[in-house]
Amino acid sequence: MLNILIIGCGNIGKRHLFALLELKKKIKVQVLEKDDTKINLSKKINKNFNNYIKKFSQIETNTNLIICSTKAFNRDVVIKKALKFCSPKYVILEKISFQNMHIYNQMLKLFYKNKIKVWINFPLRYQSYYDYLKKIIFKNNPFFTMAVSLSKSDDLFSSGIHFLDLFLTNYISDIRFEFAKLTKVNKDKNNSRFNGKIVYTSKFKTIVILNSKSKFQQQINIFGSKNHYRVIFFSEKKDPWNKPKIRFYKNDKFIKNFNHLWQSQLTNLYINDILEKKNCKLPTLKKSNICNKLILNSVKKKLNLKKKTSLCPIT
């Protein structure tokens, strides 16, 4: 049986909670949240749940899985406080895991010392089209450019990092930061949102992530040596739930449709894997290092953050 603690009940946290309450397994859930507004919003969605706590000292000592759904700023402090009151076997963190590599390395040692297995929530790894892209496209195209177009409202880093993770599943060891053009679109100094364009390159492969100037939905174009692949994310107007779908093309010829799972559905899948296999397809904190490091170092360079302890204000 899993005794699960969700820390933070904002947009992502309440989706995790919704998923766990739908899971037909023996689990027990606590939610740590200090903000009454967020708790009340969660109660409207999760009407049959009321196990909310506001103090770390109220954490159940037999908690064996923590899902930390807070923003990246101060996440290390939150985790350290929680570990004073419980000894979990597993932790799931949102990306970006931590806001600089100094904190990242400290926390990696702390988790190792306490024998805690840590995964990063890259839920695309549970989407069917993710494996399809890996097997059909990347495997057969040693040279390619991957261009990811995000909508104007998407954050360049919190949305773009999922596609960087997909790109890096090719085990590209020589990838480097090439170029960035960033525009800050909010006033939160600790959790900034950016629009713009960022480019990473290796000897044979390149990824470009950019925001469109319009509100069209996400699109991936992959230009190989012989073929052009296109992945379009769309919603059907007749669908009252506005559930996104994925349409796949090769050289402008339609090939296949995929369903896109919601975060709550994805949470169900990897929690079920942890219950049954004590493992899941999410990348571990250590394996996600290259992705995290690329993003942090490129932002630090672009924003001229020179100190080792400088925080990258992204989440």
Side-chain angles (χ1 to χ4, degrees), residues 28 57 98 142:
K28 187 175 181 180
S57 59
F98 302 102

Side-chain angles (χ1 to χ4, degrees), residues 149-153 195-196 210-217:
S149 299
L150 307 173
S151 73
K152 187 178 180 180
S153 60
N195 275 180
L210 56 87
N211 290 96
S212 165
K213 294 181 179 179
S214 64
K215 291 186 177 181
F216 81 99
Q217 292 180 315

Side-chain angles (χ1 to χ4, degrees), residues 1-244:
M1 179 174 176
L2 276 181
N3 292 287
I4 302 172
L5 171 68
I6 299 174
I7 304 178
C9 199
N11 288 333
I12 295 294
K14 64 188 178 189
R15 292 178 201 167
H16 287 314
L17 177 58
F18 179 82
L20 294 175
L21 297 179
E22 294 289 311
L23 196 65
K24 294 178 181 178
K25 300 283 183 179
K26 287 186 177 181
I27 61 170
K28 187 175 181 180
V29 184
Q30 267 191 319
V31 175
L32 174 59
E33 177 56 68
K34 296 180 180 180
D35 190 326
D36 285 327
T37 302
K38 290 180 180 178
I39 291 173
N40 290 332
L41 284 171
S42 177
K43 284 182 176 179
K44 289 181 180 179
I45 298 171
N46 305 297
K47 296 178 181 179
N48 297 321
F49 179 84
N50 202 35
N51 196 12
Y52 298 93
I53 59 174
K54 292 188 175 183
K55 297 179 181 178
F56 285 89
S57 59
Q58 294 175 284
I59 295 173
E60 294 191 5
T61 55
N62 62 349
T63 296
N64 45 24
L65 168 63
I66 294 176
I67 301 176
C68 188
S69 299
T70 63
K71 293 185 183 296
F73 176 72
N74 238 17
R75 184 177 286 151
D76 57 317
V77 176
V78 171
I79 292 292
K80 287 175 182 176
K81 283 183 179 180
L83 293 183
K84 289 180 181 179
F85 299 97
C86 65
S87 301
K89 293 181 180 179
Y90 314 112
V91 170
I92 296 173
L93 302 174
E94 301 298 329
K95 43 59 187 168
I96 305 288
S97 55
F98 302 102
Q99 288 186 325
N100 72 34
M101 291 307 298
H102 178 68
I103 294 174
Y104 171 92
N105 289 322
Q106 282 186 335
M107 294 304 293
L108 193 64
K109 289 177 183 177
L110 178 66
F111 290 131
Y112 181 78
K113 179 182 177 182
N114 288 278
K115 298 180 180 179
I116 302 171
K117 190 162 189 176
V118 186
W119 296 282
I120 305 300
N121 186 24
F122 283 107
L124 284 192
R125 291 196 174 211
Y126 274 86
Q127 300 282 10
S128 56
Y129 62 86
Y130 186 99
D131 286 333
Y132 189 78
L133 286 171
K134 281 176 61 178
K135 292 175 183 177
I136 303 301
I137 300 177
F138 295 154
K139 186 178 179 181
N140 299 319
N141 288 275
F143 309 94
F144 67 83
T145 295
M146 178 175 170
V148 180
S149 299
L150 307 173
S151 73
K152 187 178 180 180
S153 60
D154 287 323
D155 177 61
L156 183 66
F157 296 110
S158 64
S159 296
I161 194 172
H162 293 286
F163 300 102
L164 181 59
D165 176 61
L166 170 61
F167 180 75
L168 291 172
T169 57
N170 297 279
Y171 310 108
I172 301 168
S173 59
D174 63 336
I175 189 168
R176 64 188 183 278
F177 166 65
E178 186 74 23
F179 167 81
K181 182 179 181 181
L182 306 178
T183 302
K184 192 174 178 180
V185 294
N186 71 349
K187 296 181 180 180
D188 189 335
K189 67 177 182 179
N190 297 320
N191 298 293
S192 300
R193 293 176 60 83
F194 292 92
N195 275 180
K197 178 180 180 180
I198 194 160
V199 181
Y200 298 99
T201 61
S202 69
K203 187 174 181 180
F204 301 116
K205 301 176 177 71
T206 299
I207 181 170
V208 180
I209 305 170
L210 56 87
N211 290 96
S212 165
K213 294 181 179 179
S214 64
K215 291 186 177 181
F216 81 99
Q217 292 180 315
Q218 294 173 349
Q219 186 172 143
I220 305 173
N221 283 280
I222 300 167
F223 302 94
S225 54
K226 296 181 179 179
N227 298 301
H228 168 213
Y229 304 92
R230 187 155 47 104
V231 184
I232 298 176
F233 298 73
F234 70 100
S235 297
E236 294 179 335
K237 292 182 179 179
K238 62 182 180 180
D239 182 2
W241 296 99
N242 198 35
K243 190 174 182 180

Side-chain angles (χ1 to χ4, degrees), residues 273-285:
D273 276 352
I274 293 170
L275 273 164
E276 293 184 358
K277 305 173 185 176
K278 296 181 171 52
N279 205 349
C280 68
K281 291 197 290 187
L282 298 178
T284 63
L285 178 62

